[in-house]
Amino acid sequence: MSTQDILKNASTLASYNVLLQVMFRVLTFLLNAFTLRFVSKELIGVVNVRLTLLYSTLVFLSREAFRRACLSAESGTNRSWRQVINLLWLTVPLGVLWATLLGCVWLWLLEVPDPQKVPHYGPAVVLFSLSGVQELLAEPLWVLAQAHMFVQVKVIAESLAMIAKCSVTVVLVVFAPDWGLYIFSAGQLVYTGFLVLCYVIYFIRFLGSKEAAKKTFPLQHIRDLLPSRADGEPLVDWTVARLTWSFFKQSFLKQILTEGERYVMTFMNVLSFGDQGIYDIVNNLGSMVARFIFLPIEESFYIFFAKVLERGRDVESQKKEDVAIAAEVLECLLKLVLVIGLIIAVFGYAYSYLALDLYGGAMLSSGSGPGLLRCYSCYVLLLAVNGVTECFVFAAMSQQEVDKYNLVMLALSMSFLLLSYMLTWWAGGIGFILANCLNMALRISHSLLYIHRYFQSSQWKPLRGLLPSPLLLVVLIISAGVTAGSEAVFCCDGGWLFRMAHIGVGGVCLLFVLVAVLLTETQLVQFVRTQLLPRYRKKHT
């Protein structure tokens, strides 16, 4: 597969992932807005913080290292998919082990919520752990689909699973509100069950078909998806296994950084369950764009960089065409996430109060809610840049460099936990965001230094993507002042007419910002048109 074909497939995957994440975030947004009217904030805090942390920790530690190692090794010419599948099936027993260990911690070492406000906590821990193990059953199929750019199966599977989860949750919230945590446990089990079922059905129909033969798919029968051993070759590829171990050590630390505030809330009791619920709702609102735009781009273009670049080799020893297109894509991605992040930071400040008031009423817009969302708007900018820079760095690093970076991640993890604990006692929930900002800035600095050294001896300078045009900066600064003044005048006690006026001012300012982007960031506009939007790509190719 040529470099251009890989870029097109990665761009298609990113586009579909963005659409998929938009749907997820919208459904979750509506589901949270609905359940806020029927359940207590304490129940939401336990589900969205403690039980979700249990599930995400179990799944992430069980599969993330396997995913990165197996997808990175895809570029190898002597690849044995039998060995890869054997390695991937190890995620299931590893998941059972993590489910047992984490379940014991969640049941016996952590504070148990008041059963009057949060009923059925014990069974919910068991069911959420079971849902995580259930999802791991589809891991070999997920990696096969990602490696061969089967974008439709992921979109269909996760869409159906999310719709089923929301449907079950809404029905139970309305007709069985006394079930407490059983409601959300049932929805989570339905979600992971639908995921596994969709992947299994897809590959049962695909394997042995004419389409599989046309694509020269390496597997022929459904039994090839099960663990097996071929004569004359080891059970697993030990090179990939060692890379998996390196990523596993890193993934453990990355999970602490990613979910650090939830670990601090869960294990150190710095916020009550009710405050945890409010913080998590604000956190979800603030991270919507990061989750449905930045994360899919990071995941998809990690695959692109891993396929195009040879891991651990410098620029001079690789094909110039591959390095050139990787540098161009990196520059455009950095400019894209920078522009989006700046827009969110500017407009997030003036519209945080209004957004929370519309979404959850006085429960969210009073107190620390607006301040939390304003700080998170600035944090999104750092989150966006870090996602793209680490996406490139992890694809280009050698195994030895990955091992060294684990030490950096260890230091960042420890400092983050300490900062979170100290800043939370000082500033409440905002302390979590401040700690995240500091740690994200350090991670970005490390990645920028690596990228600078990587391209230092070449003609390509992809870090120029972090320099927006002067006109765009001027328009953003003016927009920040105008929207802040609009909030002071129109928002939000004067009724709906004044609120609409405030929204209208923001709309006009945003329009000027977009015009400035179109006039000054022509390379970025061309990249988005030709690579991230399928309809434009089809037209131009």
Short mmCIF file of all heavy atoms in Angstrom, two decimals, residues 362-405:
data_model
loop_
_atom_site.label_atom_id
_atom_site.label_comp_id
_atom_site.label_asym_id
_atom_site.label_seq_id
_atom_site.Cartn_x
_atom_site.Cartn_y
_atom_site.Cartn_z
N ALA A 362 -29.79 26.05 37.63
CA ALA A 362 -29.01 26.68 38.70
C ALA A 362 -28.07 25.70 39.39
O ALA A 362 -27.06 26.11 39.97
CB ALA A 362 -29.96 27.30 39.72
N MET A 363 -28.39 24.40 39.35
CA MET A 363 -27.53 23.41 40.00
C MET A 363 -26.11 23.44 39.42
O MET A 363 -25.13 23.22 40.12
CB MET A 363 -28.11 22.01 39.84
CG MET A 363 -27.34 20.93 40.60
SD MET A 363 -27.98 19.26 40.35
CE MET A 363 -27.39 18.92 38.69
N LEU A 364 -25.99 23.73 38.12
CA LEU A 364 -24.68 23.77 37.48
C LEU A 364 -24.14 25.18 37.33
O LEU A 364 -22.94 25.41 37.47
CB LEU A 364 -24.76 23.11 36.09
CG LEU A 364 -25.06 21.61 36.04
CD1 LEU A 364 -25.06 21.13 34.60
CD2 LEU A 364 -24.04 20.83 36.85
N SER A 365 -25.01 26.15 37.03
CA SER A 365 -24.52 27.50 36.75
C SER A 365 -24.18 28.29 38.00
O SER A 365 -23.46 29.29 37.94
CB SER A 365 -25.57 28.29 35.94
OG SER A 365 -26.78 28.40 36.66
N SER A 366 -24.66 27.86 39.15
CA SER A 366 -24.31 28.52 40.40
C SER A 366 -23.04 27.89 40.98
O SER A 366 -22.69 26.77 40.65
CB SER A 366 -25.45 28.42 41.41
OG SER A 366 -25.73 27.07 41.72
N GLY A 367 -22.38 28.60 41.84
CA GLY A 367 -21.18 28.05 42.47
C GLY A 367 -19.99 28.04 41.54
O GLY A 367 -19.75 28.96 40.76
N SER A 368 -19.23 26.95 41.59
CA SER A 368 -17.95 26.88 40.87
C SER A 368 -18.09 26.38 39.44
O SER A 368 -17.09 26.31 38.72
CB SER A 368 -17.00 25.95 41.63
OG SER A 368 -17.53 24.63 41.69
N GLY A 369 -19.31 26.03 39.01
CA GLY A 369 -19.50 25.45 37.68
C GLY A 369 -18.93 26.29 36.54
O GLY A 369 -18.11 25.81 35.76
N PRO A 370 -19.34 27.57 36.41
CA PRO A 370 -18.82 28.39 35.30
C PRO A 370 -17.30 28.55 35.34
O PRO A 370 -16.64 28.53 34.30
CB PRO A 370 -19.53 29.73 35.49
CG PRO A 370 -20.79 29.38 36.22
CD PRO A 370 -20.42 28.26 37.14
N GLY A 371 -16.74 28.73 36.54
CA GLY A 371 -15.29 28.84 36.64
C GLY A 371 -14.58 27.59 36.18
O GLY A 371 -13.53 27.65 35.52
N LEU A 372 -15.15 26.43 36.51
CA LEU A 372 -14.57 25.16 36.06
C LEU A 372 -14.56 25.08 34.54
O LEU A 372 -13.56 24.69 33.93
CB LEU A 372 -15.38 23.99 36.63
CG LEU A 372 -15.17 23.63 38.10
CD1 LEU A 372 -16.22 22.62 38.54
CD2 LEU A 372 -13.78 23.06 38.32
N LEU A 373 -15.68 25.44 33.92
CA LEU A 373 -15.78 25.32 32.47
C LEU A 373 -14.87 26.32 31.76
O LEU A 373 -14.30 26.02 30.71
CB LEU A 373 -17.23 25.52 32.03
CG LEU A 373 -17.57 25.13 30.59
CD1 LEU A 373 -17.15 23.70 30.29
CD2 LEU A 373 -19.06 25.31 30.32
N ARG A 374 -14.70 27.52 32.32
CA ARG A 374 -13.80 28.50 31.71
C ARG A 374 -12.36 27.99 31.75
O ARG A 374 -11.62 28.11 30.76
CB ARG A 374 -13.91 29.84 32.45
CG ARG A 374 -15.22 30.57 32.21
CD ARG A 374 -15.25 31.93 32.87
NE ARG A 374 -16.51 32.62 32.62
CZ ARG A 374 -17.39 32.94 33.56
NH1 ARG A 374 -17.14 32.63 34.83
NH2 ARG A 374 -18.50 33.56 33.24
N CYS A 375 -11.96 27.44 32.89
CA CYS A 375 -10.60 26.89 32.97
C CYS A 375 -10.43 25.72 32.02
O CYS A 375 -9.37 25.56 31.40
CB CYS A 375 -10.32 26.45 34.41
SG CYS A 375 -10.14 27.80 35.58
N TYR A 376 -11.45 24.91 31.89
CA TYR A 376 -11.35 23.76 31.01
C TYR A 376 -11.23 24.19 29.55
O TYR A 376 -10.59 23.51 28.75
CB TYR A 376 -12.56 22.84 31.20
CG TYR A 376 -12.25 21.40 30.87
CD1 TYR A 376 -11.99 20.49 31.89
CD2 TYR A 376 -12.18 20.96 29.56
CE1 TYR A 376 -11.68 19.18 31.60
CE2 TYR A 376 -11.88 19.64 29.26
CZ TYR A 376 -11.64 18.76 30.29
OH TYR A 376 -11.31 17.46 29.99
N SER A 377 -11.84 25.30 29.20
CA SER A 377 -11.74 25.79 27.82
C SER A 377 -10.29 26.09 27.46
O SER A 377 -9.86 25.83 26.33
CB SER A 377 -12.60 27.06 27.66
OG SER A 377 -13.96 26.78 27.91
N CYS A 378 -9.53 26.63 28.41
CA CYS A 378 -8.11 26.87 28.16
C CYS A 378 -7.32 25.57 28.14
O CYS A 378 -6.38 25.40 27.35
CB CYS A 378 -7.55 27.81 29.22
SG CYS A 378 -8.33 29.44 29.25
N TYR A 379 -7.72 24.62 28.99
CA TYR A 379 -7.03 23.33 29.04
C TYR A 379 -7.20 22.56 27.74
O TYR A 379 -6.30 21.81 27.34
CB TYR A 379 -7.58 22.53 30.23
CG TYR A 379 -7.13 21.10 30.28
CD1 TYR A 379 -5.78 20.78 30.37
CD2 TYR A 379 -8.06 20.07 30.26
CE1 TYR A 379 -5.37 19.46 30.44
CE2 TYR A 379 -7.66 18.76 30.31
CZ TYR A 379 -6.31 18.45 30.42
OH TYR A 379 -5.90 17.15 30.47
N VAL A 380 -8.33 22.73 27.06
CA VAL A 380 -8.57 22.03 25.80
C VAL A 380 -7.49 22.36 24.76
O VAL A 380 -7.09 21.51 23.97
CB VAL A 380 -9.97 22.37 25.26
CG1 VAL A 380 -10.12 21.95 23.80
CG2 VAL A 380 -11.04 21.69 26.10
N LEU A 381 -7.02 23.60 24.77
CA LEU A 381 -5.96 23.99 23.84
C LEU A 381 -4.70 23.16 24.06
O LEU A 381 -4.09 22.65 23.10
CB LEU A 381 -5.65 25.48 24.00
CG LEU A 381 -4.48 26.03 23.19
CD1 LEU A 381 -4.72 25.83 21.70
CD2 LEU A 381 -4.26 27.51 23.51
N LEU A 382 -4.30 22.99 25.31
CA LEU A 382 -3.13 22.16 25.61
C LEU A 382 -3.39 20.70 25.28
O LEU A 382 -2.51 19.99 24.77
CB LEU A 382 -2.77 22.31 27.09
CG LEU A 382 -2.35 23.70 27.56
CD1 LEU A 382 -2.13 23.71 29.06
CD2 LEU A 382 -1.10 24.15 26.85
N LEU A 383 -4.60 20.25 25.56
CA LEU A 383 -4.96 18.87 25.28
C LEU A 383 -4.86 18.57 23.79
O LEU A 383 -4.39 17.50 23.38
CB LEU A 383 -6.39 18.62 25.77
CG LEU A 383 -6.85 17.18 25.99
CD1 LEU A 383 -6.07 16.54 27.12
CD2 LEU A 383 -8.33 17.16 26.29
N ALA A 384 -5.28 19.51 22.97
CA ALA A 384 -5.26 19.32 21.52
C ALA A 384 -3.84 19.21 20.98
O ALA A 384 -3.52 18.29 20.21
CB ALA A 384 -5.99 20.48 20.84
N VAL A 385 -2.98 20.12 21.39
CA VAL A 385 -1.60 20.11 20.90
C VAL A 385 -0.87 18.87 21.39
O VAL A 385 -0.12 18.23 20.63
CB VAL A 385 -0.87 21.39 21.36
CG1 VAL A 385 0.61 21.34 20.97
CG2 VAL A 385 -1.53 22.62 20.76
N ASN A 386 -1.08 18.49 22.63
CA ASN A 386 -0.41 17.31 23.16
C ASN A 386 -0.82 16.03 22.43
O ASN A 386 0.01 15.16 22.17
CB ASN A 386 -0.72 17.16 24.65
CG ASN A 386 -0.08 15.93 25.25
OD1 ASN A 386 1.12 15.86 25.45
ND2 ASN A 386 -0.90 14.91 25.51
N GLY A 387 -2.10 15.93 22.07
CA GLY A 387 -2.56 14.73 21.38
C GLY A 387 -1.84 14.50 20.07
O GLY A 387 -1.41 13.39 19.76
N VAL A 388 -1.67 15.56 19.28
CA VAL A 388 -1.02 15.42 17.98
C VAL A 388 0.48 15.20 18.14
O VAL A 388 1.07 14.35 17.45
CB VAL A 388 -1.29 16.67 17.12
CG1 VAL A 388 -0.45 16.64 15.85
CG2 VAL A 388 -2.77 16.75 16.76
N THR A 389 1.13 15.93 19.02
CA THR A 389 2.58 15.77 19.18
C THR A 389 2.93 14.38 19.70
O THR A 389 3.87 13.74 19.20
CB THR A 389 3.15 16.84 20.11
OG1 THR A 389 2.43 16.83 21.36
CG2 THR A 389 3.03 18.22 19.49
N GLU A 390 2.20 13.89 20.70
CA GLU A 390 2.48 12.55 21.21
C GLU A 390 2.11 11.47 20.20
O GLU A 390 2.75 10.42 20.15
CB GLU A 390 1.75 12.31 22.53
CG GLU A 390 2.39 13.01 23.71
CD GLU A 390 1.87 12.48 25.04
OE1 GLU A 390 0.86 11.75 25.05
OE2 GLU A 390 2.49 12.79 26.07
N CYS A 391 1.11 11.73 19.40
CA CYS A 391 0.73 10.80 18.34
C CYS A 391 1.93 10.56 17.41
O CYS A 391 2.24 9.41 17.05
CB CYS A 391 -0.46 11.37 17.57
SG CYS A 391 -0.64 10.85 15.88
N PHE A 392 2.62 11.62 17.02
CA PHE A 392 3.80 11.48 16.15
C PHE A 392 4.96 10.85 16.91
O PHE A 392 5.64 9.94 16.40
CB PHE A 392 4.21 12.84 15.61
CG PHE A 392 5.45 12.80 14.77
CD1 PHE A 392 5.38 12.53 13.41
CD2 PHE A 392 6.71 13.03 15.33
CE1 PHE A 392 6.52 12.48 12.63
CE2 PHE A 392 7.86 12.98 14.56
CZ PHE A 392 7.76 12.69 13.21
N VAL A 393 5.21 11.31 18.11
CA VAL A 393 6.37 10.84 18.88
C VAL A 393 6.29 9.35 19.15
O VAL A 393 7.27 8.61 18.97
CB VAL A 393 6.48 11.64 20.20
CG1 VAL A 393 7.48 10.99 21.15
CG2 VAL A 393 6.91 13.08 19.90
N PHE A 394 5.12 8.86 19.56
CA PHE A 394 4.98 7.44 19.87
C PHE A 394 5.13 6.57 18.62
O PHE A 394 5.52 5.41 18.70
CB PHE A 394 3.63 7.17 20.53
CG PHE A 394 3.54 7.70 21.93
CD1 PHE A 394 2.32 8.05 22.47
CD2 PHE A 394 4.67 7.87 22.70
CE1 PHE A 394 2.22 8.55 23.76
CE2 PHE A 394 4.59 8.37 23.99
CZ PHE A 394 3.38 8.71 24.52
N ALA A 395 4.79 7.12 17.45
CA ALA A 395 4.93 6.35 16.21
C ALA A 395 6.37 6.33 15.72
O ALA A 395 6.76 5.41 15.00
CB ALA A 395 4.02 6.93 15.13
N ALA A 396 7.17 7.33 16.09
CA ALA A 396 8.54 7.44 15.59
C ALA A 396 9.59 6.88 16.54
O ALA A 396 10.68 6.52 16.12
CB ALA A 396 8.86 8.90 15.27
N MET A 397 9.29 6.82 17.83
CA MET A 397 10.26 6.38 18.83
C MET A 397 10.65 4.91 18.63
O MET A 397 9.82 4.08 18.26
CB MET A 397 9.67 6.54 20.24
CG MET A 397 9.80 7.92 20.83
SD MET A 397 9.12 7.93 22.51
CE MET A 397 9.63 9.55 23.06
N SER A 398 11.90 4.61 18.94
CA SER A 398 12.34 3.22 19.01
C SER A 398 11.87 2.62 20.34
O SER A 398 11.41 3.34 21.23
CB SER A 398 13.86 3.13 18.91
OG SER A 398 14.46 3.74 20.04
N GLN A 399 12.02 1.30 20.46
CA GLN A 399 11.60 0.65 21.70
C GLN A 399 12.42 1.18 22.87
O GLN A 399 11.89 1.38 23.97
CB GLN A 399 11.77 -0.86 21.59
CG GLN A 399 11.33 -1.61 22.86
CD GLN A 399 11.46 -3.11 22.72
OE1 GLN A 399 11.44 -3.64 21.62
NE2 GLN A 399 11.60 -3.80 23.84
N GLN A 400 13.71 1.43 22.65
CA GLN A 400 14.55 1.95 23.72
C GLN A 400 14.11 3.34 24.13
O GLN A 400 14.10 3.68 25.33
CB GLN A 400 16.03 1.97 23.27
CG GLN A 400 16.66 0.60 23.08
CD GLN A 400 16.18 -0.11 21.84
OE1 GLN A 400 15.70 0.54 20.88
NE2 GLN A 400 16.29 -1.43 21.81
N GLU A 401 13.73 4.16 23.16
CA GLU A 401 13.26 5.51 23.48
C GLU A 401 11.92 5.47 24.21
O GLU A 401 11.67 6.29 25.10
CB GLU A 401 13.13 6.32 22.19
CG GLU A 401 14.47 6.71 21.58
CD GLU A 401 14.32 7.35 20.22
OE1 GLU A 401 13.41 6.93 19.45
OE2 GLU A 401 15.10 8.27 19.90
N VAL A 402 11.08 4.51 23.85
CA VAL A 402 9.82 4.34 24.57
C VAL A 402 10.08 3.98 26.03
O VAL A 402 9.44 4.51 26.95
CB VAL A 402 8.94 3.27 23.89
CG1 VAL A 402 7.73 2.95 24.75
CG2 VAL A 402 8.48 3.74 22.52
N ASP A 403 11.06 3.11 26.26
CA ASP A 403 11.40 2.72 27.63
C ASP A 403 11.92 3.91 28.43
O ASP A 403 11.59 4.08 29.61
CB ASP A 403 12.45 1.61 27.61
CG ASP A 403 11.88 0.28 27.14
OD1 ASP A 403 10.65 0.09 27.29
OD2 ASP A 403 12.64 -0.55 26.61
N LYS A 404 12.75 4.75 27.77
CA LYS A 404 13.25 5.93 28.47
C LYS A 404 12.13 6.92 28.79
O LYS A 404 12.11 7.54 29.85
CB LYS A 404 14.32 6.62 27.61
CG LYS A 404 15.63 5.84 27.49
CD LYS A 404 16.63 6.59 26.63
CE LYS A 404 17.92 5.81 26.48
NZ LYS A 404 18.92 6.52 25.62
N TYR A 405 11.19 7.03 27.85
CA TYR A 405 10.09 7.96 28.08
C TYR A 405 9.19 7.50 29.23
O TYR A 405 8.52 8.31 29.86
CB TYR A 405 9.27 8.13 26.81
CG TYR A 405 8.23 9.22 26.90
CD1 TYR A 405 8.59 10.52 27.23
CD2 TYR A 405 6.88 8.96 26.65
CE1 TYR A 405 7.66 11.52 27.33
CE2 TYR A 405 5.93 9.96 26.73
CZ TYR A 405 6.33 11.24 27.07
OH TYR A 405 5.39 12.24 27.16
#
